[in-house]
Every structure is written in C-alpha cells, then in structure tokens.
Amino acid sequence: MEFILREAERLIQKHKTRNPFEIADCLNINVLYRPLGKLKGIYIYTRRSRYICINNDLDSPARRLVCAHEIGHDRFHRHLAKMNPQAQELISYDMSSKPEREANVFAAEILLPDDEVIRLINDAEMNFFRAARELYVPPELMDFKFQILKSRGYRLEAPLNATGDFLKK
Amino acid sequence: MQLGEKIRLLRKRAGISQKDFAEQLGITRRALVYYENGQRFPREAGLIDKIAGFFNVSSDFLTDDSESIAMTKEEIFLEEAKAEDKLRGKSEAKKFIETTKCLFAGGELSEEDKDALFEVLTEIYFDSKKKAKKYGVRKNKGSKNTPTD
C-alpha cells in the first residue's frame, strides 16, 4: 500500500497535475477510445509500447477513473500485461483481485486530494455518498480513499467495504 | 475469390499441410503451390472434383470466382500481417493470436466483447510495430536506442 501512495505522490509532484490523461501523456502511454463492449478499459503492453484503451461508451468521469486505474496497472503490473502467451492468465480483467485493488488504491490517490476529501466530510451537510458525487467518483473509490486516510491516522467511518473488482459492475 | 485462394483457405481451416494435401490428391506439392498461387489452373480430369469432395463443397463453388468464402477476423488479420511484414509477420501474428486466445480464455466475455477487443488488439499490434520500427530495437539494457533505418 505504502509504495502505491509514494508513486502516486511522486507523479503528481513531478507532472504538477492530478489529471490522469495528462499524466498518461507525460508517461508516454498511448490512450485510445474504442468500443469495448462490456469491458471498461484495458491496459496492454506490447513491443515496449504501452496502451490504455478506454471504452468510448463511458462518460467523462468514468473515463477519468478508468484512465487513472489503468495507469496504476502501468506502474505496478506492467510485467503482467505483456502480450505473450507465457503471461496469459494475468491480463487486466482476468487478474486476481490484488492487482485490481492496487490499481484502485492508486486511482483513488490520484483523483482525490486529501484536503478536498477532509473538507467535504467535515461539512455537516455532507454524507459519504454526496461527497463522492461532489468529486465525480463512484462511492467505492471514495471508500478506497477512506482506507488510505485511515492508514494515515485519520478516524473515519466508511459505510462500504470496496473490493478490487467494483469496476466490473 | 479465385480458385487458388479458396483451396488455400479451406486447406488451412482443415489444418493440413501442403505436402500432406498434395499426397492425398496424388499430385506433387509443387503443383499444389501453383494452384494455390493462381499461377496455374488444375487441368487434370476430376482433380477439381476431388478437391471439392475433400472439403465437402461443390466444384462449381470452387471454380466460380464470384463465389467467396467469408474470412474470419483472424484470417484477415493474418493476411494483413503477412503482407505488412513478409519476413516475420506470419510468426509474430500467430503468436499474437495465441495471446489473444489466452486473453479470451477467461470466459467472462461475450462474442461481441471478443470481437470488439480483437479489433482493438489488431490495431495496437500494427501500431506498436510501427512505433518499434521508428524507434529501433534495444540491443541490450542500458544502451541508447539507435534507429534501425
């Protein structure tokens, strides 16, 4: 968990942005929008070129989330996404939940700044779900952010317990 | 679609080599190559019927150029890859298809999803090849990439 947060922090500092599309651009990842049926997005690594393909049916908050999530795969699971028969059973949607969890933690850290989240949940008017809507992320991603904040010593009560595969819904 | 192309496609689908197929028909492999490439037309009496019988199609279907066999996405991709890179295209494309098959083996994808995904992967295959050409290959770790052309 710690190394994921460090990497997210490093990227935000280095490229001075939290916009996943800009980060992908800085990292020389090719981002494509194509029809993908039920798949939301896929990360592919072949011939030393990296590709993030995002389903073009998605609205822009969803695209942002998928892009951040796939950058997480690029950072931590590149070796799993090689296009060769030996790495067969390890491709993104088919992975065990650990890489998915890691990618989601990464996405939560990139898309949700600490102070914003704290500000929103200290607001008496706000509940968890409204805060998530306010920040254009699904509640599950908010839950990941809560887990991160807890690990930093904040005392929070989260109504959900998100797992690695919430993007599948 | 010409006779030769149809013979080649059907032969490949049956998973039989030129050598074995020629043997079955009682002709030389060289002759079969000529037929498949469209450089010659089988003149031998009954040979076309023999071929048609082997694949369970009518001989009219084989000889009528207006009759075509619908190629699968995979077959089209293999053709394209071969045309694009005569040297390695075929083996690389085969490996690529093998990988996509592994990708699909998860069993969570509908036919439509697989189609859509195959389309994207094909595009990425050619694109990454172009990029690899442009930037050259890494000879060994740590050395600078030098353009190959």
Side-chain angles (χ1 to χ4, degrees), chain A residues 30 32 34-39 42 44 46-49 51 53 83-85 88 91 93-94 168, chain B residues 92 96 98-99 102-103 106 108-110 113 116-117 120-121 123-125 127-129 131 138 145:
Chain A
N30 308 289
L32 313 169
R34 297 285 180 275
L36 284 178
K38 276 198 297 296
L39 291 170
I42 183 168
I44 292 164
T46 178
R47 289 204 190 91
R48 291 185 17 253
S49 291
Y51 294 85
C53 185
M83 280 298 283
N84 68 22
Q88 39 180 286
I91 312 271
Y93 59 84
D94 207 22
K168 276 190 187 162
Chain B
E92 277 181 355
F96 175 85
E98 216 172 294
T99 312
C102 299
L103 250 171
E108 291 179 25
L109 293 174
S110 68
D113 294 350
L117 193 55
V120 171
L121 289 169
E123 183 189 350
I124 286 176
Y125 171 90
D127 190 66
S128 69
K129 209 167 162 88
K131 286 199 165 69
R138 186 184 295 179
N145 293 341

